[in-house]
Amino acid sequence: MTITQPDLSIFQTLESEVRSYCRGWPTVFDRARGSYMYDEDGHAFLDFFAGAGSLNYGHNNPVLKRALLDYLERDGVTHGLDMSTTAKRAFLETFQEVVLRPRGLDHKVMFPGPTGTNAVEAALKLARKVKGRESIVSFTNAFHGMSLGSLAVTGNAFKRAGAGVPLVHGTPMPFDNYLDGKVEDFLWFERLLQDSGSGLNRPAAVIVETVQGEGGVNVARAEWLRALADLCKRQDMLLIVDDIQMGCGRTGGFFSFEEAGITPDIITVSKSISGYGLPMALTLFRPELDVWEPGEHNGTFRGNNPAFVTAAAALDTYWADGQMEKQTLARGEQVEAALCAIAGEHRGGVAGFRGRGLVWGLAFPDAGRAGWVCSRAFELGLLVETSGPESEVVKLLPALTISPEELDEGLRTLARAVRETA
Ligand SMILES: Cc1ncc(COP(=O)(O)O)c(C=O)c1O
């Protein structure tokens, strides 16, 4: 595809230098539908990024769009703080019926603010309040958001440095396989907890991603997660699963921890919960942890009612039966087979691949190569991004609603981009 140089002048002169995705994809997007985005010159791009996991049901999903348009057309409440509204009631009822009850979860639902980092901040605050302790344990290569509390439990040195103040009360521990399986799981962590001379303040909670999306698509084994849940119980620490990127079906089940059979005390959900890319976040917690005073955690944009409407429609449409999970796992096998072929073709040039459901990473030994692959993929009409501490992993995050043919097209483009950057 030949892309004529677009007019980017207003972005380059007025928009802050902090902008990032637009640098890797230097065009001006205009429309989007399903798994495709179109720029203003009509070039089509197959989207293997899905709004960083916010568009699990594709762009402008027609079922969700209909529900949204009907709601707006009848002047349904748009902004509602935390007032009770018909849209919020419908969402809560659907969430309970379709998501919580079938999974045996009795968690309370909190609307902490519109973004993922709002959900994480609320989770950390609540854990500290419940336990009366300050310290939180996180994991190497974790990513939990860009506000100060979330940054304190995030690994990436570049992102942490942006805080400009000391990031305190967080202690990192090795994520699954960080030490290449050479050390027994949780040996170090448990030893510190048991030793009154270790210097580790007793943590209020542990926060974990079951698959580290930003950290390089690092997949925790189910048995590691079970052992972590067990450790938390024995050592009186709350278990927070940050399901902001891996929840809403990304790994197969609605929650990414279902496969491991664990029940976190606190769960954070955002990104694809609205289903339409509208800002919305949830912090879920066991009922006995609901020690908030009214208004103790607040925020103007906790009642994005159009998001409640599309969220309820998404749950009704995709999660009332088990089809979505089966389809995601089948599509995941298609991706795995393609990545296996790419790795086989480029022995030495590819460090490996890993994933679950429809999140996959293709790792390169030469960190720069992943970025070149993404740039070449863009020229060939495919949107993919890097992740990992050195941006050494190409991360595949297609919409869960992608067709096998579209998936195949994107995987062939990826294979070509890898070949052409060898
Ligand atoms: C696991 C996880 N937690 C938290 C966040 C932060 O979400 P937001 O960017 O909406 O604040 C992200 C964003 O990528 C994430 O992947």
Side-chain angles (χ1 to χ4, degrees):
M1 173 163 55
T2 325
I3 300 169
T4 45
Q5 195 52 42
D7 179 7
L8 298 171
S9 52
I10 187 73
F11 309 106
Q12 288 165 346
T13 55
L14 192 59
E15 195 179 350
S16 161
E17 291 303 317
V18 80
R19 65 195 191 279
S20 67
Y21 293 113
C22 56
R23 297 176 191 270
W25 299 325
T27 192
V28 181
F29 293 101
D30 181 44
R31 289 188 315 112
R33 176 94 196 233
S35 284
Y36 284 92
M37 296 190 77
Y38 303 89
D39 72 10
E40 61 184 345
D41 295 321
H43 298 120
F45 296 87
L46 185 54
D47 185 1
F48 270 22
F49 180 63
S54 303
L55 293 162
N56 282 2
Y57 315 111
H59 293 268
N60 289 310
N61 181 297
V63 182
L64 311 189
K65 182 162 67 179
R66 187 71 267 151
L68 179 61
L69 289 174
D70 288 349
Y71 184 75
L72 295 177
E73 194 59 47
R74 71 170 183 79
D75 287 336
V77 170
T78 291
H79 180 271
L81 287 156
D82 65 8
M83 287 178 243
S84 300
T85 61
T86 51
K88 190 197 272 190
R89 177 165 58 204
F91 166 73
L92 286 170
E93 287 173 351
T94 310
F95 192 66
Q96 188 170 47
E97 277 311 302
V98 175
V99 176
L100 295 179
R101 239 182 229 143
R103 290 163 181 80
L105 299 173
D106 62 352
H107 288 51
K108 297 281 290 279
V109 177
M110 171 182 179
F111 298 96
T115 71
T117 202
N118 293 124
V120 171
E121 294 285 351
L124 302 179
K125 273 167 85 169
L126 184 66
R128 287 175 168 132
K129 180 169 178 175
V130 167
K131 291 294 178 194
R133 303 176 205 141
E134 295 164 352
S135 166
I136 307 279
V137 163
S138 58
F139 290 97
T140 47
N141 289 307
F143 183 80
H144 296 293
M146 300 298 286
S147 51
L148 292 182
S150 304
L151 267 182
V153 288
T154 286
N156 187 290
F158 172 62
K159 299 281 198 289
R160 288 175 66 89
V165 294
L167 294 170
V168 291
H169 310 312
T171 305
M173 289 287 163
F175 189 70
D176 190 14
N177 211 29
Y178 188 68
L179 301 165
D180 298 326
K182 287 185 196 119
V183 176
E184 190 188 316
D185 296 337
F186 305 113
L187 182 69
W188 170 244
F189 189 2
E190 189 145 29
R191 184 75 182 273
L192 293 184
L193 288 167
Q194 286 165 346
D195 180 359
S196 60
S198 71
L200 178 71
N201 291 337
R202 180 153 294 275
V206 172
I207 184 165
V208 68
E209 299 153 271
T210 64
V211 179
Q212 296 182 321
E214 301 305 298
V217 192
N218 305 315
V219 182
R221 289 164 301 142
E223 56 265 37
W224 186 85
L225 291 169
R226 280 192 289 271
L228 176 62
D230 190 49
L231 179 66
C232 286
K233 215 164 262 153
R234 278 187 282 116
Q235 296 289 342
D236 186 32
M237 303 177 294
L238 296 175
L239 176 62
I240 306 170
V241 169
D242 181 347
D243 233 7
I244 285 166
Q245 189 163 148
M246 296 305 146
C248 304
R250 177 52 59 187
T251 63
F254 185 84
F255 293 114
S256 69
F257 53 79
E258 287 171 34
E259 192 195 31
I262 59 171
T263 303
D265 299 299
I266 306 179
I267 307 160
T268 55
V269 181
S270 184
K271 293 209 188 253
S272 273
I273 186 65
S274 84
Y276 205 72
L278 299 174
M280 179 173 168
L282 306 175
T283 305
L284 312 173
F285 35 82
R286 288 194 290 109
E288 58 272 31
L289 304 181
D290 195 2
V291 298
W292 292 115
E293 297 292 330
E296 190 179 0
H297 186 90
N298 219 323
T300 308
F301 289 109
R302 286 170 301 136
N304 186 1
N305 280 255
F308 299 156
V309 170
T310 54
L315 296 178
D316 264 337
T317 308
Y318 294 107
W319 292 99
D321 60 26
Q323 277 315 306
M324 194 55 163
E325 179 169 358
K326 281 198 199 108
Q327 179 177 305
T328 299
L329 296 177
R331 300 272 192 281
E333 285 173 17
Q334 195 181 337
V335 178
E336 186 174 12
L339 295 184
C340 186
I342 293 173
E345 187 184 328
H346 302 272
R347 278 177 220 286
V350 167
F353 63 94
R354 58 222 177 207
R356 260 182 75 196
L358 266 179
V359 50
W360 288 86
L362 183 63
F364 292 89
D366 168 6
R369 176 90 178 277
W372 303 331
V373 169
C374 291
S375 300
R376 184 64 190 136
F378 171 74
E379 290 166 359
L380 297 170
L382 177 71
L383 304 178
V384 266
E385 246 294 314
T386 60
S387 82
E390 307 295 331
S391 301
E392 74 281 16
V393 177
V394 174
K395 181 169 79 166
L396 279 59
L397 217 56
L400 307 183
T401 49
I402 195 167
S403 71
E405 295 75 26
E406 289 167 335
L407 196 52
D408 189 49
E409 176 193 329
L411 291 166
R412 276 189 282 112
T413 305
L414 178 69
R416 183 173 161 195
V418 174
R419 213 170 291 130
E420 291 181 0
T421 51

